[in-house]
C-alpha cells in the first residue's frame, strides 16, 4: 500500500500515514506560469493499492483539479486501485437544481473523479445523505459525530454545566438527522432544530423559528450547536444570537468541516460561545485559528476504514 497527499491537507495525510506505519510517497506538483498544473508520480506504483488524501475546501477548483490529476497519474502508472480520501467534499451543497437553469455541480465533480480512475471514496459528514447516490463506485460516508459525542460527554461530566440541562441544536432543518443520531449517542439528550432561510441570490440568512418539543424550556439551558460545516460563519452567528435571545445560558459549537471562507474568523472570534470544535477534515492554517477554536483529529476514523 502507498499513500500520497495532495497540497490541501498535508498534516492530515501525515497523520494517516503515521497511523498506517507508512511514509508519504512523493509527488511532483508543478504550477506553470499560466496556472496549469503538472502532476507526476515519482515512485513505482505498479500493482499497488494507493491512497490519495486531498480535501476540497477553498480553493475548491484548484484542489479538485489536483486530485483528478493525481488519480489519473496513479492509474496511468499502473496502480491496482486508488482510494481517494476526500474528508471535505467541495460543491456538496449544490446537490440539486435550486433555481431553474443551474448546474448540479457535485454531480459534475463526481463524474470527473470517477472518469479519472478513482476506485473508492472516503468522505465525512456530507451535507445530504443523497450525495452517495451520485457515485457508482464504493463510498464510505464517515462521521465525526462519535468524536463530538465524546467531547460533549466530557464537557457535561466535567462540571461545566453546573446542574443546568443540556440541549443539542441543529442550526437548520437539514441537520435534523445528524442531531437525532447524536442525541442517540448521548443517551437521548434532548434536541431542537432552528428553521433558517437563505436567500439564494444574496446568500443572506434569516432565522424563522425553532422546532422544539413542547415540554422543553430553552431558557437557562446549555446548548451544543452541531453543524456539518462552517463556511462564512453566517449560520452559526445567527443561531447563537437567536439562542441567546431565547435565554440559552451557554453555548458550545461543533462543526465537522472548518471551511472558513471569507471573513469567518472575524465572525467566529466574536461569537458568544464557550468553544468552537471542528475537525482536521480541512486544514486550518495558524492565521485562521483563534483562541476558542479546538481542532479534533479524524485520522483514526479514516485509518479504521481503509
Ligand atoms: C447549511 O445548510 C449547512 O448545513 C451549513 O449550516 C452552512 O452551509 C454553513 O454555511 P455558512 O457558515 O456560510 O453559513
Amino acid at each position: 500500500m502507498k499513500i500520497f497527499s495532495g497540497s490541501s491537507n498535508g498534516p492530515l495525510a501525515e497523520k494517516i500515514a503515521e497511523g498506517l506505519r507508512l511514509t508519504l510517497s512523493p509527488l511532483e506538483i508543478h504550477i506553470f506560469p499560466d496556472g496549469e498544473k503538472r502532476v507526476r508520480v515519482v515512485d513505482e506504483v505498479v500493482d499497488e493499492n494507493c491512497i490519495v488524501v486531498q480535501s476540497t475546501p477553498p480553493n475548491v477548483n484548484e484542489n479538485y483539479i489536483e486530485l483528478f490529476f493525481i488519480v489519473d497519474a496513479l492509474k496511468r502508472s499502473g496502480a491496482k486501485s486508488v482510494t481517494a480520501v476526500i474528508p471535505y467534499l467541495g460543491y456538496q451543497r449544490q446537490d440539486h437544481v435550486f433555481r431553474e437553469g443551474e448546474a448540479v455541480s457535485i454531480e459534475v465533480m463526481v463524474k470527473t473523479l470517477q472518469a479519472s480512475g478513482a476506485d473508492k471514496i472516503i468522505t465525512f459528514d456530507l451535507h445530504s445523505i443523497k450525495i452517495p447516490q451520485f457515485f457508482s463506485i464504493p463510498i464510505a460516508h464517515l462521521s465525526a459525530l462519535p468524536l463530538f459525542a465524546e467531547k460533549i460527554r466530557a464537557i457535561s461530566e466535567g462540571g461545566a454545566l453546573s446542574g443546568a440541562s443540556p440541549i443539542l441544536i441543529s442550526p437548520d432543518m437539514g441537520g435534523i438527522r445528524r442531531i437525532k443520531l447524536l442525541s442517540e449517542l448521548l443517551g437521548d439528550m434532548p434536541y431542537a432544530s432552528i428553521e433558517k432561510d437563505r436567500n439564494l441570490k444574496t446568500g443572506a440568512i434569516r432565522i424563522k423559528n425553532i422546532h422544539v418539543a413542547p415540554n422543553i424550556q430553552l431558557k437557562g439551558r446549555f446548548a451544543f450547536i452541531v453543524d456539518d460545516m462552517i463556511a462564512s460563519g453566517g449560520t452559526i452567528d445567527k443561531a447563537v444570537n437567536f439562542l441567546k435571545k431565547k435565554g440559552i445560558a451557554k453555548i458550545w459549537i461543533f462543526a465537522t468541516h472548518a471551511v472558513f471562507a471569507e471573513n469567518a474568523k472575524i465572525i467566529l472570534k466574536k461569537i458568544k460561545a464557550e468553544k468552537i470544535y471542528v475537525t482536521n477534515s480541512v486544514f486550518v492554517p495558524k492565521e485562521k485559528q483563534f483562541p476558542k477554536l479546538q481542532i479534533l483529529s479524524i485520522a483514526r476514523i479514516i485509518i479504521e476504514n481503509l
Side-chain angles (χ1 to χ4, degrees):
M1 183 186 277
K2 286 195 182 284
I3 176 162
F4 298 83
S5 177
S7 12
S8 70
N9 201 339
L12 175 61
E14 290 276 1
K15 278 205 169 84
I16 298 169
E18 211 177 286
L20 292 169
R21 294 175 196 280
L22 295 172
T23 47
L24 287 176
S25 295
L27 281 174
E28 274 178 22
I29 300 177
H30 178 78
I31 304 176
F32 290 100
D34 61 1
E36 291 185 0
K37 283 191 184 192
R38 180 181 61 200
V39 167
R40 183 172 164 258
V41 174
V42 182
D43 284 357
E44 172 84 39
V45 292
V46 175
D47 288 336
E48 291 277 1
N49 292 313
C50 297
I51 301 161
V52 182
V53 182
Q54 174 78 324
S55 223
T56 52
N59 187 332
V60 56
N61 302 329
E62 291 290 326
N63 289 330
Y64 262 116
I65 286 288
E66 196 178 282
L67 175 61
F68 301 150
F69 291 173
I70 297 171
V71 173
D72 180 77
L74 286 168
K75 277 309 199 47
R76 281 175 199 279
S77 306
K80 185 172 167 194
S81 72
V82 177
T83 296
V85 177
I86 317 171
Y88 171 67
L89 192 72
Y91 282 114
Q92 58 178 287
R93 286 178 291 178
Q94 190 67 38
D95 62 351
H96 62 270
V97 173
F98 290 88
R99 291 175 303 160
E100 203 182 327
E102 289 178 347
V104 181
S105 319
I106 187 63
E107 190 170 10
V108 176
M109 290 302 160
V110 169
K111 279 183 190 160
T112 313
L113 189 55
Q114 292 185 167
S116 304
D119 296 286
K120 184 185 168 186
I121 306 297
I122 293 184
T123 191
F124 274 79
D125 289 322
L126 292 168
H127 182 62
S128 146
I129 52 165
K130 289 189 193 140
I131 292 167
Q133 293 172 15
F134 289 119
F135 288 88
S136 54
I137 55 175
I139 168 167
H141 179 193
L142 309 178
S143 178
L145 288 182
L147 289 182
F148 294 168
E150 231 172 75
K151 258 302 160 217
I152 291 173
R153 237 178 262 122
I155 294 168
S156 310
E157 288 162 10
L161 305 193
S162 37
S165 303
I167 187 162
L168 302 171
I169 306 275
S170 170
D172 61 43
M173 297 302 285
I176 194 78
R177 192 193 64 92
R178 198 173 305 120
I179 219 80
K180 280 185 183 168
L181 284 173
L182 189 56
S183 162
E184 277 169 29
L185 289 175
L186 290 162
D188 293 327
M189 187 178 277
Y191 61 85
S193 182
I194 288 173
E195 189 181 343
K196 113 185 159 189
D197 191 42
R198 196 189 282 267
N199 182 313
L200 292 174
K201 228 173 171 179
T202 63
I205 296 161
R206 186 172 65 96
I207 302 260
K208 288 168 76 179
N209 198 359
I210 183 159
H211 297 254
V212 57
N215 59 331
I216 291 177
Q217 290 291 317
L218 293 175
K219 201 167 185 308
R221 280 193 188 250
F222 283 22
F224 299 104
I225 302 180
V226 182
D227 208 353
D228 54 345
M229 69 180 87
I230 300 176
S232 68
T235 300
I236 291 295
D237 187 39
K238 287 274 190 308
V240 167
N241 291 336
F242 177 81
L243 293 174
K244 284 284 177 189
K245 280 194 193 129
K246 291 276 176 194
I248 290 282
K250 280 189 181 178
I251 298 174
W252 285 261
I253 293 163
F254 291 81
T256 305
H257 309 295
V259 177
F260 291 2
E262 302 167 356
N263 296 324
K265 179 178 170 179
I266 298 170
I267 295 173
L268 297 173
K269 262 176 83 175
K270 286 194 282 194
I271 255 171
K272 293 190 195 86
E274 304 305 302
K275 281 232 167 355
I276 301 179
Y277 292 93
V278 295
T279 77
N280 55 353
S281 70
V282 172
F283 174 65
V284 185
K286 278 272 173 294
E287 61 275 17
K288 283 195 177 182
Q289 295 186 20
F290 46 93
K292 275 184 192 171
L293 184 74
Q294 298 269 312
I295 303 173
L296 309 173
S297 180
I298 53 169
R300 184 178 44 83
I301 306 178
I302 294 172
I303 291 165
E304 285 166 3
N305 285 277
L306 278 169

